[in-house]
Amino acid sequence: MEQSYITLGIETSCDETAAAVYSSTQKLLSSITYSQIALHKKQGGVVPEIASRAQLEKINEILSQALAQAHVSLADVAVIAVTHKPGLPGSLLVGVCFAKAAVWSLGKKLIGIDHLEGHIFSPFLENTPEFPHICLSASGGHTALYYVEDFGKYTLLGHTIDDAAGEAFDKIAKLMNLGYPGGPIMEILAQKAHFIDYFRYPRAHTQGLDFSFSGLKTAILYDLVKRNAYDLKTKQFLSSDNQELIMQVASSLHVCVADIFAHKIKSALAVYPQAKAVTFVGGVACNQYITSALKKMVQATGRSFYFPSKEYCTDNAAMIAFVGNYKAQQEKYSDWTLDILR
Ligand code: KG4
Ligand code: ZN
């Protein structure tokens, strides 16, 4: 019999401060996310020192909001689930120390959660993907494929050997002075160029089920140099007034990334033909062009395709609370030795 209790999820692995409340009987009761994007925009990427300080400033307020939205008090919470890896050390420490202090002073149970496991099970916040399934997880920090057999039971099939897919969007956007984060900005531009593959960038065919995106960035850089749109010596983008070119780069990049993903998912399905579904998670799964291209491809194989709503694609605490809830059912608690990054 499933036990009924309330889990508080805390996520502070990078540049989002998030808290969520999950009831084992009533499901997700609240999810609050504070994004630091505005703080990092000027630098064109996340600055770890700024990120950890902002975590410390925000965590109390975000936690209070999550409890208030769920109409519960800390006294009602039985389990505190907190992301302890991977991520920026200074940011992770804020969440883990906060969770440990609350657990110690209030007599709760503690569970350390792997952020990537949170992403893998994020589709379950809104849907019930069938087991076993293949999961493609793509964000600014990671890109990986998993074979998922049950709650907490999954195998890594392959991952990026260099940059993450979201990082490729961010770096290529930065190359053209488009701002941060690059993904959503590029998607709007690509749409204006109708997602046509103008420049046919190379589809890096890495071994097996691994990914590589750094070569794609270099290929685009040299293609821009060839078009006299980028000066390698001064590291300057020379075509800021050429909207058409920028839109065509964004458009070609979208088709290329969708192709790479589709190819890798097909390869994974060839190895695991028993997979009943495919899920697509992480920040890059906010991309409507890529999700619809993958959906079409996966459904053509007779399988179902799932991806979370945007708020659960990007970093959030709801997925951490969800994983915390099933780990509590499985009695997989952490002890006082819980540390970051291990
Ligand atoms: O999961 P997430 O919030 O944080 C990490 O764990 O990294 O993902 C952020 C990443 C960024 O690289 C961002 O450019 C990318 O997800 N992203 C997108 C889109 N929205 C966010 N990439 C492509 N298309 C989008 N619409
Ligand atoms: Zn993430």
Side-chain angles (χ1 to χ4, degrees):
M1 239 278 283
E2 275 202 359
Q3 287 202 50
S4 126
Y5 38 65
I6 287 178
T7 300
L8 170 68
I10 298 174
E11 159 62 46
T12 67
S13 67
C14 188
D15 62 337
E16 269 93 17
T17 312
V21 178
Y22 193 93
S23 151
S24 55
T25 47
Q26 295 157 279
K27 309 304 171 196
L28 187 66
L29 300 182
S30 70
S31 177
I32 304 283
T33 306
Y34 165 72
S35 167
Q36 301 176 4
I37 283 179
L39 298 180
H40 301 285
K41 256 199 163 111
K42 234 196 304 173
Q43 287 78 17
V46 177
V47 182
E49 175 78 13
I50 295 175
S52 55
R53 279 171 188 269
Q55 295 285 6
L56 200 54
E57 277 164 24
K58 278 284 169 190
I59 192 159
N60 283 35
E61 182 189 330
I62 297 303
L63 176 85
S64 303
Q65 285 181 22
L67 292 171
Q69 195 186 64
H71 301 292
V72 300
S73 72
L74 258 185
D76 302 316
V77 171
V79 179
I80 299 186
V82 61
T83 302
H84 74 116
K85 66 173 182 184
L88 300 172
S91 289
L92 286 167
L93 277 172
V94 174
V96 170
C97 290
F98 189 93
K100 277 191 168 183
V103 164
W104 182 77
S105 57
L106 302 167
K108 312 291 182 191
K109 301 266 197 188
L110 175 69
I111 306 184
I113 308 287
D114 184 327
H115 179 83
L116 303 177
E117 186 168 340
H119 277 300
I120 294 170
F121 291 92
S122 56
F124 286 89
L125 289 163
E126 299 158 303
N127 279 294
T128 314
E130 307 85 334
F131 292 121
H133 60 254
I134 297 291
C135 171
L136 170 63
S137 182
S139 79
H142 52 269
T143 297
L145 268 171
Y146 301 89
Y147 179 59
V148 189
E149 291 173 84
D150 205 343
F151 295 113
K153 195 172 172 211
Y154 55 95
T155 315
L156 176 69
L157 305 179
H159 61 95
T160 178
I161 55 169
D162 41 56
D163 291 351
E167 199 178 350
F169 276 98
D170 296 338
K171 285 183 172 174
I172 294 158
K174 200 172 176 179
L175 216 56
M176 299 190 291
N177 305 325
L178 294 178
Y180 172 83
I185 300 170
M186 299 268 266
E187 187 176 7
I188 294 167
L189 292 164
Q191 190 172 21
K192 290 184 183 152
H194 312 292
F195 300 108
I196 290 168
D197 193 3
Y198 297 91
F199 304 139
R200 301 214 44 84
Y201 298 132
R203 277 65 171 149
H205 284 305
T206 39
Q207 283 289 311
L209 297 173
D210 280 341
F211 298 86
S212 165
F213 287 102
S214 75
L216 178 58
K217 187 204 128 186
T218 313
I220 293 180
L221 173 68
Y222 282 101
D223 189 69
L224 289 172
V225 171
K226 199 180 74 191
R227 291 173 201 280
N228 295 321
Y230 194 92
D231 182 9
L232 273 182
K233 264 202 211 117
T234 56
K235 295 194 173 147
Q236 293 250 350
F237 183 59
L238 307 170
S239 296
S240 289
D241 54 353
N242 190 345
Q243 271 303 104
E244 199 180 330
L245 174 74
I246 294 170
M247 290 183 325
Q248 289 178 350
V249 171
S251 182
S252 308
L253 174 66
H254 272 71
V255 184
C256 181
V257 172
D259 270 6
I260 293 170
F261 283 165
H263 174 75
K264 291 292 174 181
I265 290 173
K266 269 188 208 151
S267 306
L269 290 173
V271 185
Y272 294 93
Q274 69 275 34
K276 296 184 179 129
V278 173
T279 64
F280 181 33
V281 303
V284 182
C286 290
N287 192 294
Q288 287 180 27
Y289 169 78
I290 300 178
T291 47
S292 56
L294 295 181
K295 183 176 179 183
K296 213 186 280 168
M297 184 280 285
V298 170
Q299 288 185 340
T301 73
R303 295 174 174 90
S304 9
F305 181 75
Y306 301 91
F307 60 97
S309 316
K310 282 189 181 185
E311 60 183 308
Y312 305 129
C313 283
T314 50
D315 288 350
N316 66 87
M319 65 187 191
I320 303 304
F322 178 84
V323 172
N325 175 67
Y326 71 67
K327 286 206 184 292
Q329 307 284 355
Q330 298 165 350
E331 300 198 17
K332 288 188 175 153
Y333 297 107
S334 303
D335 61 25
W336 288 117
T337 61
L338 179 69
D339 199 351
I340 58 157
L341 302 176
R342 50 174 116 170

